[in-house]
Amino acid sequence: MSSRVLVVGERRAGAIADTSLEVLDTAHRLAGDGGVAGFVAGADGEPAAASFARFGVPLVYWARELSAEDSAAGRIAPTVAAVADSIGAEVVLAGGTTFGRDLVGYLAIRWNAAVATGVTDVQRDANGLHARRPIFGGRATETRRLEGWHVALALRPHAFPRPPEAPVPGRVETVAPVEPSAGWREAKCLGVEATPTGSGPSLGDATIVVSGGRGLQAPENFHLVEELAASLGAAVGASRAVTDAGWRPGSFQVGQTGKAVSPQLYIAVGISGAIQHIVGMVSSRVIVAINSDASAPIFKVADYGIVGDLFQIVPALTAEIRKVRGT
Amino acid sequence: MEIVVCLKPVPEAETRLRVAPDGTRLDPEGVKYVLAGYDESAVEQALLLKEATAGARVHAYSYGPAPRTEEVLRAAIALGCDAATWVEAGAASDDPIAAARALGSAIGAGPYDLVLCGKQAGDDEAGLVAAALADVLGVPEFGYAVNVRWDAGRARLTLGRVTESGLESWETPLPCVVGLQQAWNDPRTAKLPAILKSRKATIGRVAAAEAAETGRTTPEGFALPPPRIGARMIEYKTPQEAAEKLVRLLREEAKVFP
Ligand SMILES: Cc1cc2nc3c(=O)[nH]c(=O)nc-3n(C[C@H](O)[C@H](O)[C@H](O)COP(=O)(O)OP(=O)(O)OC[C@H]3O[C@@H](n4cnc5c(N)ncnc54)[C@H](O)[C@@H]3O)c2cc1C
Ligand SMILES: Nc1ncnc2c1ncn2[C@@H]1O[C@H](COP(=O)(O)O)[C@@H](O)[C@H]1O
């Protein structure tokens, strides 16, 4: 069975987001010989469109005139739906970022699609498509059957591999935008302030996250966590004890009322492992905990544990990682 | 200003998850449903806006089966919401898009200026309803929002959006939908007299609009991951030895970096 698949790309710092490239494997698998096409919006979207083409998308539609200086999926959704219709696509795929999740929400209505977010696996059988996704903060997974002519999925970041570059790059073609609804014309994005993650990646994008908790005892010790993160090229996170105390801004918080992350590696430093923290990180692939209390609940969800004083362990770990990785 | 908050009853955080006998969903037996996480934030945000805006009212809506919807709506009234409407749903109410369509037609039938949702529900974590609901209503949606304020003089709502790139600042006229990701350290709690009074409050009731023919999802499997067996504890004599052992395991066994 085959179907035509439209992949929607997202720009990040002038290039294409990794999370957009991660959908390509699934796109080709679902498309069979139905074919994959790409979509990118925004005046500065050309490099992103070109990367899609380089990574094996034969034809990328670039909506140059669409204002996409921001992540407003609602502005872009009408054009995505129109392009999907014009090429007869049955499936739209996007990365499960803030933009991608919003986008499929709009496509559910605008394009009458069966939709799912945070998807970690998609299978096709005679009954159609079935999507698996973690729920309850990773404490369970559900499978849903997607019913209808159209399906739009936001795939969970870092759950799928990035494909290699293709031998022959695809083409980029411009496409005319469709006007968004009236309300969007007066809504204005006044600017973006980059998240203060130091020089590292953002929590949502990162493949490694190092988080610090109250065990660090004072804000002036938090640099221990930041140095460990820097040695790994990781994003920095924190427990709510840390953000509540104002050691770091709320944007660092991981957990039920913060950000949910699912990196390849999560290192919890001086974090006890309250359920509200656990639900935000338990679906990480590998979890490491460093805590002086052997009975801390964080060790129940960790894969590797070190019981000890973080003030001794963390600097040693940072030094060891710098040594083996030459960072 | 007419502020709407959308509230989904979800199992309380401490719920022990069990698979229902048919294998397709959470076993609801003995589960206590509460107003959770981001929806609590949405109520707090609605009440803060109401307090800062003369003549504002807050109307809570919940879609789903009774009695859990009624319980969260009464909790919202006890916290200070002015009105509550139950959007009645049949058994198949667990599709977020069905919720968005039903809520959209109920909310659209009444007055509304600002609709507040949580960023995502604590159970299905779909993060879909705010955007879908906005498209049903034909108004813009701002998800992952923090610091929502109403500038009455300029008739603009200002807010931040937390995205992968950073914090975006937005301003927009009303009406619109906002999906909140703000967490308050100390959202208000209801006082006993208000709780008692909320038991007698009138809850409006509307039947859900008929669901669309296409574009639905049906749960067909619910699984619990095998319990993590607990951490492999690293034995060591010096911090250096602990670091070396951990890094070796991460490279050779877990293969998280080369
Ligand atoms: C509605 C609600 C929502 C919440 N949402 C969140 C959320 O999103 N995210 C979140 O994180 N929390 C959340 N919380 C708070 C949560 O319940 C915990 O209070 C919080 O996670 C605790 O943070 P912590 O682990 O840093 O601090 P603590 O629980 O105080 O743990 C500190 C740990 O550090 C260890 N330690 C101390 N000294 C050292 C040392 N020298 N070396 C090594 N280890 C040391 C201790 O053994 C202890 O285990 C929420 C709570 C509520 C009620
Ligand atoms: N059944 C429902 N009734 C009322 N509001 C809902 C319902 N489902 C979802 N919502 C709202 O939409 C938000 C996001 O839910 P979801 O898209 O399911 O993750 C929730 O935090 C609620 O504010």
Side-chain angles (χ1 to χ4, degrees), chain A residues 240-297:
Chain A
R240 178 154 151 191
V242 164
T243 52
D244 272 3
W247 298 0
R248 284 300 175 272
S251 56
F252 281 65
Q253 185 179 315
V254 171
Q256 185 192 324
T257 44
K259 207 138 190 98
V261 298
S262 53
Q264 292 289 310
L265 172 62
Y266 186 89
I267 303 182
V269 177
I271 292 178
S272 60
I275 181 72
Q276 297 90 353
H277 187 81
I278 301 278
V279 297
M281 45 64 83
V282 71
S283 48
S284 308
R285 188 167 75 79
V286 176
I287 297 171
V288 171
I290 300 168
N291 196 303
S292 52
D293 174 6
S295 64

Side-chain angles (χ1 to χ4, degrees), chain A residues 70-88:
Chain A
D70 47 58
S71 66
R75 244 182 207 154
I76 293 161
T79 309
V80 172
V83 169
D85 279 338
S86 75
I87 63 167

Side-chain angles (χ1 to χ4, degrees), chain B residues 35-100:
Chain B
L35 178 63
Y38 297 107
D39 291 9
E40 213 170 39
S41 298
V43 172
E44 180 68 21
Q45 178 71 79
L47 296 172
L48 289 173
L49 285 168
K50 171 183 156 177
E51 284 155 6
T53 314
R57 265 169 43 95
V58 181
H59 189 156
Y61 284 77
S62 186
Y63 163 83
R68 61 181 89 143
T69 38
E70 187 182 326
E71 282 160 19
V72 299
L73 289 171
R74 288 200 192 281
I77 287 182
L79 285 166
C81 293
D82 303 287
T85 298
W86 169 36
V87 185
E88 196 177 342
S93 62
D94 50 14
D95 181 28
I97 300 307

Side-chain angles (χ1 to χ4, degrees), chain A residues 114-198:
Chain A
V115 298
T117 54
V119 173
T120 53
D121 185 46
V122 199
Q123 294 299 332
R124 185 202 291 279
D125 65 17
N127 295 323
L129 292 177
H130 310 264
R132 193 168 69 214
R133 51 193 302 278
I135 54 176
F136 285 103
R139 291 194 297 143
T141 55
E142 67 168 8
T143 312
R144 278 179 182 263
R145 187 168 63 244
L146 300 145
E147 294 163 20
W149 296 111
H150 293 155
V151 168
L153 302 174
L155 304 188
R156 194 171 179 99
H158 314 313
F160 299 88
R162 218 180 104 147
E165 288 196 27
V168 186
R171 284 184 301 126
V172 176
E173 224 173 68
T174 53
V175 66
V178 175
E179 275 290 296
S181 60
W184 279 113
R185 282 198 279 279
E186 280 185 80
K188 271 205 214 60
C189 179
L190 306 173
V192 189
E193 184 188 312
T195 315
T197 52

